[in-house]
Structures are given as structure tokens and as C-alpha cells.
Amino acid sequence: MPTAGSEKMFSRVLLVLCTLYWLNFTWAQFPKVCTENNESVRIKECCPNNCGGPGRGECVRLPNGTHDEYRANDAEKQRLQILDDRHNWPHVFFERGCRCHGNFDSYDCTECKFGYMGNDCQTKRPKLVRKNIKMLTPKEREDYFNVLNKAKKMNESEFSIVINTVRPQNEIPIFTNVSAYNRFAWMYYYAARDALVNCTDSASGFCNINDFAHEGSGFPTWHRAHLLIWERALQKIAKNDSLTIPYWDWRDQQNCDVCNDVYFGENEPITGHLDKGSRFSDWQMICWQLGKYHLEHELCDGRAEDRIIRLPGQNSQIRQLPTGKEVERVLNLTDYDTYPYGTTANDSFRNAFEGFLNLKSMTFDGVSHEVHNNVHLYMGANSTMGIVPSAANDPLFISHHAYVDLIFERWLRKHNPSISVFPSKNAPPGHNRYESMVPFFPVRIHEEFFKQSTEFGYDYQELIDMSGPVGTCAIQCHSIYVMISGIAILTLVG
């Protein structure tokens, strides 16, 4: 039974929330219809609207979010993992939620799964095509950037974020509001952050036990889900169901050809802040002061902290972007992932693609930063993109990861794997096949997103072109494009 003190605390929690204004955006983080409800928070149940009513869904106990405990027989690591709020996601916040039937989806079963439409969600929607950002028309480019700016400035109307750790002190979760874009950035931070728990083996008082979005088998599937969630949110904001995220093809570029004021903004040479000519120059980062959060065992609360920082080509260890030949080498790897399914997994497509393998030997050497990781670090070791938990603050992150998803899609189509290649155990916690992806709500598991993109109703222009009458020309056609685009960008900027 709740005490008088706990009831008082619940009242305080509710005071930090705004009045619910119902918009059907998308999912993840927690729906305000549940976080604003004292009883829902107390009993850990989020089943609004009776889960859409008969035929759409039902309220059930959510599955165990973490199926496989930490591999090492290390009692301290086991203890710390269990104290992490992300362990057994999302049970520390909600233990019951909606299980939707058929193609119904979302936290209350009132939307359709990706790729479907209609009142009964039985109609396959027309396929959406993600385009190369350099090939967008001026109007398409401006429309996309305008909706990003709108998302950055408008309050998130349907979801709130949690701003305190619940374990190990058994605290009551506190939620707050952020902008629509900052919710997207916060989700990335929350999955990639450190554990924020006391560690007996860490002088600084915290341990990085697990990154729930990186360094494991779930890296491609987590990011695919993240982009799909964000793309649908942008469509709602733009009131345009055909809007798609453009990708940035960084292969063989001599420099960041979209780091100018036509695209994502020029940076000041010393500070790295975007110059005043950029439409993103006034964007403020959240979740940037990682040292403060870690040392004080606090969560990022979504407050503005600093302007975006980008220093392309100024990282002494990463002087150039990935090449097309490197991407092809990675795509030729036949094993999706290999034991131990983390950063040291050799001959693993996932690990080479993420960037932890030496691409000549396809083995872990502890110093290589390739493909996906290369692009992040190329933007500066201490840049917004270079610091993993803060990276999604930079709008360039979205187009970078759209191309990362395109590479994942190429591998899926090239090798046509069965789901059995995705480990069901022994991967880092949160990365196994049936485990919940932190911090998505309703619950999403990796298996759902280990499918070709057309299953979710989208494709890539590059892949459509490659399958056309000209044939597969991944390297040759790309080389021609790099030459043409170089001329094009000089015309646009000069």
C-alpha cells in the first residue's frame, strides 16, 4: 500500500507534466496518457483506451526484457547489471502493456505496423523511397530541413522522458517534457549512456556495463527501429505521409560534402560551432555534459547545454571517410555475427560494419575505427557526432545512419539470411534476438527488424537504381556519382 509520503511524491511528479494534448505521433519514450496517471505509474500498467478495443489488442504482462544475463561469471557485474534501469526493459517503469493483434500497432493499438495502412491495417501502403540527399530537389531539401527545425522547436505532445534513475534506491520515476527532436536525441542517449551505478572497480564511481544500441548483435536492428520511429514522427509533424529521411552517401568523399550551409551547416574553424549562415546554428544540444551526469549518477534531463559542434577532418586519427571498396569488403562477409557477439567478434559482418574490425584482416585489433565508427569520429573526437551518447543532436546523424541502414539492407538482400543467424543468447545484454530494445515503448525486439526494408514499406533509391536495366554497378556507378556530385556542390556553394 502506498504511504502518505509516496502519495505526496506522486502529486509532485504530476506537477512537472503538461496537460495532455492528443496527437498520433509515434512511439517511444513513455506515453503521457500513462505517465500523467497516478494509478498507472503506481501499478506499472500502461494500457490506454482499452488497447484499442476488441479485435485490436489486449492488456497483458510484458515479456521479460532481458533473457540472457551477463556472460562473465562476475558477481559484481551481475549486481550492477540488475541495478541498471534498462535491465529487463521496461519493467522498472511498466510491467503491463498492450499486445496488439494482427497489423495493429503502437502503445494503444490505434496505429498500423510499418508498411500498412487503412482502418483495419490490412492494406500494404505504397512503398516509400529514401533518396540521396544530394539528389533531392531544392524544394524537397528545404521541406526536409524545415520539418527538422519545426521538430526541434515544438514541444513533444504525446510522449515524455524519464529524468531520474529508479534503481537501486527504489525511487518513483519522474517524467518531463522536451521538444519532438530532443526526444529522438534523448532516446539515443538513454540507450548508449553508462550505467550510472556505483562500481567497486571504478575510481570515478561509475561503470560502462553495456551500450544497448552499440557493440553487439543488435546494432543494425536497433538503429533501423530508431530511424523508422523518427521518420513516422516527422511525417506526422509535416502532415505528409510520403516524407522520407534522405541518406548521405559518404563513400570516397574527400571531405564532408554536406558540411556547408546548403546542407547541414558550415562550422567555425576553432570552436566547431555551426556558423550563423547555417539553419541549424541556434540548435542547442542536450545530454552533452556526460562527465557531470556520470559522476553525479544523474540522468540527462533534456535541458539545453551547448550549440552543435562539428570539426570534420580534424581528428588526427581519422583523416578520411570510408571508401566504396571498404564497404564492398564488409558486404562480402557471410556471417552476420560471430561469438562473442561484441566488439571483439572476428569475421563478423555486424562488427566490421559497425567499425571495430581491421578491414584487412577482419579481426579485432583494438585500434581500428571503420565504416560506421569512422564517420562519427571523422567529425571530431570531441564533436557532437564524436561523443556517442550525444551524437543524435546533430541533424547530420540522421542521414549518416540512413546510409548505415542502406548498407545493412544491401547485406540482407545479398545473403538472404534466416533469423537463426541472429544470436538468441550469449550476446551482450539487450542485444539478443528476443530481447527488448531499450528504450522503445511499446516493447520492440530485435527479431522484428531483422527483415528487408520492403517489409516495412520503404526502399532506397540507390538499391532501386542498382537493380535496374543497367545492372549492379555498386562501385563503377558510385565513382561516376562522386565525380558529378563534386561538381554539383561547387556550383551550389560557389
Side-chain angles (χ1 to χ4, degrees), residues 3 27 32 111 129 131 140 196 223 241 363 400 435 462:
T3 65
W27 348 286
K32 292 183 183 180
E111 293 193 0
V129 178
K131 300 178 182 179
E140 288 173 330
L196 305 182
H223 286 82
D241 289 344
T363 59
H400 164 45
E435 290 186 316
E462 179 177 309

PDB file of all heavy atoms in Angstrom, residues 3 27 32 111 129 131 140 196 223 241 363 400 435 462:
ATOM      1  N   THR A   3       2.296   4.851   0.944  1.00  0.00           N
ATOM      2  CA  THR A   3       2.285   5.655   2.149  1.00  0.00           C
ATOM      3  C   THR A   3       1.854   7.063   1.820  1.00  0.00           C
ATOM      4  O   THR A   3       1.798   7.472   0.648  1.00  0.00           O
ATOM      5  CB  THR A   3       3.682   5.691   2.774  1.00  0.00           C
ATOM      6  OG1 THR A   3       4.557   6.364   1.866  1.00  0.00           O
ATOM      7  CG2 THR A   3       4.199   4.276   3.040  1.00  0.00           C
ATOM      8  N   TRP A  27       5.897   6.114 -31.357  1.00  0.00           N
ATOM      9  CA  TRP A  27       6.121   5.548 -30.037  1.00  0.00           C
ATOM     10  C   TRP A  27       7.540   5.776 -29.561  1.00  0.00           C
ATOM     11  O   TRP A  27       8.432   6.047 -30.335  1.00  0.00           O
ATOM     12  CB  TRP A  27       5.854   4.052 -30.013  1.00  0.00           C
ATOM     13  CG  TRP A  27       5.166   3.528 -31.206  1.00  0.00           C
ATOM     14  CD1 TRP A  27       3.862   3.684 -31.530  1.00  0.00           C
ATOM     15  CD2 TRP A  27       5.734   2.770 -32.249  1.00  0.00           C
ATOM     16  NE1 TRP A  27       3.578   3.054 -32.688  1.00  0.00           N
ATOM     17  CE2 TRP A  27       4.718   2.480 -33.156  1.00  0.00           C
ATOM     18  CE3 TRP A  27       7.006   2.291 -32.507  1.00  0.00           C
ATOM     19  CZ2 TRP A  27       4.929   1.737 -34.295  1.00  0.00           C
ATOM     20  CZ3 TRP A  27       7.219   1.557 -33.628  1.00  0.00           C
ATOM     21  CH2 TRP A  27       6.191   1.289 -34.508  1.00  0.00           C
ATOM     22  N   LYS A  32       2.286  10.063 -22.392  1.00  0.00           N
ATOM     23  CA  LYS A  32       1.824  10.914 -21.296  1.00  0.00           C
ATOM     24  C   LYS A  32       0.496  10.433 -20.730  1.00  0.00           C
ATOM     25  O   LYS A  32       0.209  10.650 -19.551  1.00  0.00           O
ATOM     26  CB  LYS A  32       1.683  12.358 -21.786  1.00  0.00           C
ATOM     27  CG  LYS A  32       3.004  13.020 -22.116  1.00  0.00           C
ATOM     28  CD  LYS A  32       2.773  14.469 -22.528  1.00  0.00           C
ATOM     29  CE  LYS A  32       4.071  15.132 -22.925  1.00  0.00           C
ATOM     30  NZ  LYS A  32       3.854  16.545 -23.327  1.00  0.00           N
ATOM     31  N   GLU A 111      -2.686   2.472 -34.191  1.00  0.00           N
ATOM     32  CA  GLU A 111      -1.989   2.713 -35.449  1.00  0.00           C
ATOM     33  C   GLU A 111      -1.704   1.386 -36.138  1.00  0.00           C
ATOM     34  O   GLU A 111      -2.023   0.313 -35.611  1.00  0.00           O
ATOM     35  CB  GLU A 111      -0.688   3.484 -35.205  1.00  0.00           C
ATOM     36  CG  GLU A 111      -0.908   4.906 -34.722  1.00  0.00           C
ATOM     37  CD  GLU A 111       0.353   5.740 -34.788  1.00  0.00           C
ATOM     38  OE1 GLU A 111       1.406   5.200 -35.220  1.00  0.00           O
ATOM     39  OE2 GLU A 111       0.292   6.913 -34.422  1.00  0.00           O
ATOM     40  N   VAL A 129      10.373   5.809 -50.786  1.00  0.00           N
ATOM     41  CA  VAL A 129      11.752   5.713 -51.267  1.00  0.00           C
ATOM     42  C   VAL A 129      12.604   6.763 -50.577  1.00  0.00           C
ATOM     43  O   VAL A 129      12.352   7.969 -50.696  1.00  0.00           O
ATOM     44  CB  VAL A 129      11.820   5.894 -52.801  1.00  0.00           C
ATOM     45  CG1 VAL A 129      13.282   5.829 -53.264  1.00  0.00           C
ATOM     46  CG2 VAL A 129      10.994   4.820 -53.500  1.00  0.00           C
ATOM     47  N   LYS A 131      15.886   8.852 -50.485  1.00  0.00           N
ATOM     48  CA  LYS A 131      16.749   9.329 -51.562  1.00  0.00           C
ATOM     49  C   LYS A 131      18.086   9.837 -51.042  1.00  0.00           C
ATOM     50  O   LYS A 131      18.214  10.214 -49.875  1.00  0.00           O
ATOM     51  CB  LYS A 131      16.052  10.468 -52.321  1.00  0.00           C
ATOM     52  CG  LYS A 131      14.722  10.089 -52.956  1.00  0.00           C
ATOM     53  CD  LYS A 131      14.095  11.304 -53.646  1.00  0.00           C
ATOM     54  CE  LYS A 131      12.750  10.969 -54.256  1.00  0.00           C
ATOM     55  NZ  LYS A 131      12.130  12.167 -54.897  1.00  0.00           N
ATOM     56  N   GLU A 140      12.447  19.742 -52.116  1.00  0.00           N
ATOM     57  CA  GLU A 140      12.477  18.582 -51.234  1.00  0.00           C
ATOM     58  C   GLU A 140      13.467  18.801 -50.095  1.00  0.00           C
ATOM     59  O   GLU A 140      13.187  18.455 -48.938  1.00  0.00           O
ATOM     60  CB  GLU A 140      12.865  17.329 -52.027  1.00  0.00           C
ATOM     61  CG  GLU A 140      11.779  16.821 -52.968  1.00  0.00           C
ATOM     62  CD  GLU A 140      12.270  15.697 -53.846  1.00  0.00           C
ATOM     63  OE1 GLU A 140      13.483  15.651 -54.167  1.00  0.00           O
ATOM     64  OE2 GLU A 140      11.436  14.845 -54.239  1.00  0.00           O
ATOM     65  N   LEU A 196      25.452   4.398 -14.616  1.00  0.00           N
ATOM     66  CA  LEU A 196      25.145   5.346 -13.541  1.00  0.00           C
ATOM     67  C   LEU A 196      24.882   4.641 -12.214  1.00  0.00           C
ATOM     68  O   LEU A 196      23.968   4.999 -11.471  1.00  0.00           O
ATOM     69  CB  LEU A 196      23.935   6.224 -13.902  1.00  0.00           C
ATOM     70  CG  LEU A 196      24.015   6.998 -15.218  1.00  0.00           C
ATOM     71  CD1 LEU A 196      22.766   7.852 -15.404  1.00  0.00           C
ATOM     72  CD2 LEU A 196      25.264   7.842 -15.284  1.00  0.00           C
ATOM     73  N   HIS A 223      19.131   0.484 -34.654  1.00  0.00           N
ATOM     74  CA  HIS A 223      19.151   1.733 -35.416  1.00  0.00           C
ATOM     75  C   HIS A 223      18.080   1.755 -36.511  1.00  0.00           C
ATOM     76  O   HIS A 223      17.548   2.816 -36.835  1.00  0.00           O
ATOM     77  CB  HIS A 223      20.542   1.976 -36.003  1.00  0.00           C
ATOM     78  CG  HIS A 223      21.546   2.417 -34.977  1.00  0.00           C
ATOM     79  ND1 HIS A 223      22.195   1.534 -34.152  1.00  0.00           N
ATOM     80  CD2 HIS A 223      21.978   3.662 -34.632  1.00  0.00           C
ATOM     81  CE1 HIS A 223      23.006   2.209 -33.344  1.00  0.00           C
ATOM     82  NE2 HIS A 223      22.889   3.490 -33.607  1.00  0.00           N
ATOM     83  N   ASP A 241       2.537  12.004 -45.297  1.00  0.00           N
ATOM     84  CA  ASP A 241       2.831  10.582 -45.103  1.00  0.00           C
ATOM     85  C   ASP A 241       3.893  10.050 -46.055  1.00  0.00           C
ATOM     86  O   ASP A 241       4.380   8.927 -45.876  1.00  0.00           O
ATOM     87  CB  ASP A 241       1.552   9.750 -45.273  1.00  0.00           C
ATOM     88  CG  ASP A 241       0.592   9.942 -44.120  1.00  0.00           C
ATOM     89  OD1 ASP A 241       1.030  10.449 -43.072  1.00  0.00           O
ATOM     90  OD2 ASP A 241      -0.604   9.602 -44.268  1.00  0.00           O
ATOM     91  N   THR A 363      39.807  -8.799 -38.250  1.00  0.00           N
ATOM     92  CA  THR A 363      39.970  -9.178 -36.852  1.00  0.00           C
ATOM     93  C   THR A 363      40.002  -7.928 -35.989  1.00  0.00           C
ATOM     94  O   THR A 363      40.322  -6.832 -36.452  1.00  0.00           O
ATOM     95  CB  THR A 363      41.260  -9.980 -36.630  1.00  0.00           C
ATOM     96  OG1 THR A 363      42.375  -9.186 -37.051  1.00  0.00           O
ATOM     97  CG2 THR A 363      41.228 -11.293 -37.397  1.00  0.00           C
ATOM     98  N   HIS A 400      23.453  10.182 -41.945  1.00  0.00           N
ATOM     99  CA  HIS A 400      24.539   9.196 -41.825  1.00  0.00           C
ATOM    100  C   HIS A 400      23.953   7.818 -41.535  1.00  0.00           C
ATOM    101  O   HIS A 400      24.285   6.831 -42.208  1.00  0.00           O
ATOM    102  CB  HIS A 400      25.501   9.623 -40.714  1.00  0.00           C
ATOM    103  CG  HIS A 400      26.412   8.528 -40.239  1.00  0.00           C
ATOM    104  ND1 HIS A 400      27.075   7.675 -41.098  1.00  0.00           N
ATOM    105  CD2 HIS A 400      26.758   8.137 -38.969  1.00  0.00           C
ATOM    106  CE1 HIS A 400      27.806   6.804 -40.384  1.00  0.00           C
ATOM    107  NE2 HIS A 400      27.611   7.063 -39.100  1.00  0.00           N
ATOM    108  N   GLU A 435      15.286 -10.090 -27.121  1.00  0.00           N
ATOM    109  CA  GLU A 435      15.341  -9.117 -26.033  1.00  0.00           C
ATOM    110  C   GLU A 435      14.742  -7.778 -26.448  1.00  0.00           C
ATOM    111  O   GLU A 435      14.769  -7.387 -27.626  1.00  0.00           O
ATOM    112  CB  GLU A 435      16.779  -8.939 -25.554  1.00  0.00           C
ATOM    113  CG  GLU A 435      17.279 -10.169 -24.825  1.00  0.00           C
ATOM    114  CD  GLU A 435      18.649  -9.985 -24.197  1.00  0.00           C
ATOM    115  OE1 GLU A 435      19.541  -9.432 -24.858  1.00  0.00           O
ATOM    116  OE2 GLU A 435      18.817 -10.409 -23.050  1.00  0.00           O
ATOM    117  N   GLU A 462      19.229   4.204 -54.245  1.00  0.00           N
ATOM    118  CA  GLU A 462      20.450   3.554 -54.721  1.00  0.00           C
ATOM    119  C   GLU A 462      20.206   2.083 -55.049  1.00  0.00           C
ATOM    120  O   GLU A 462      20.707   1.567 -56.052  1.00  0.00           O
ATOM    121  CB  GLU A 462      21.553   3.676 -53.669  1.00  0.00           C
ATOM    122  CG  GLU A 462      22.851   2.998 -54.078  1.00  0.00           C
ATOM    123  CD  GLU A 462      23.948   3.187 -53.046  1.00  0.00           C
ATOM    124  OE1 GLU A 462      24.191   4.336 -52.633  1.00  0.00           O
ATOM    125  OE2 GLU A 462      24.557   2.174 -52.659  1.00  0.00           O
TER     126      GLU A 462
END
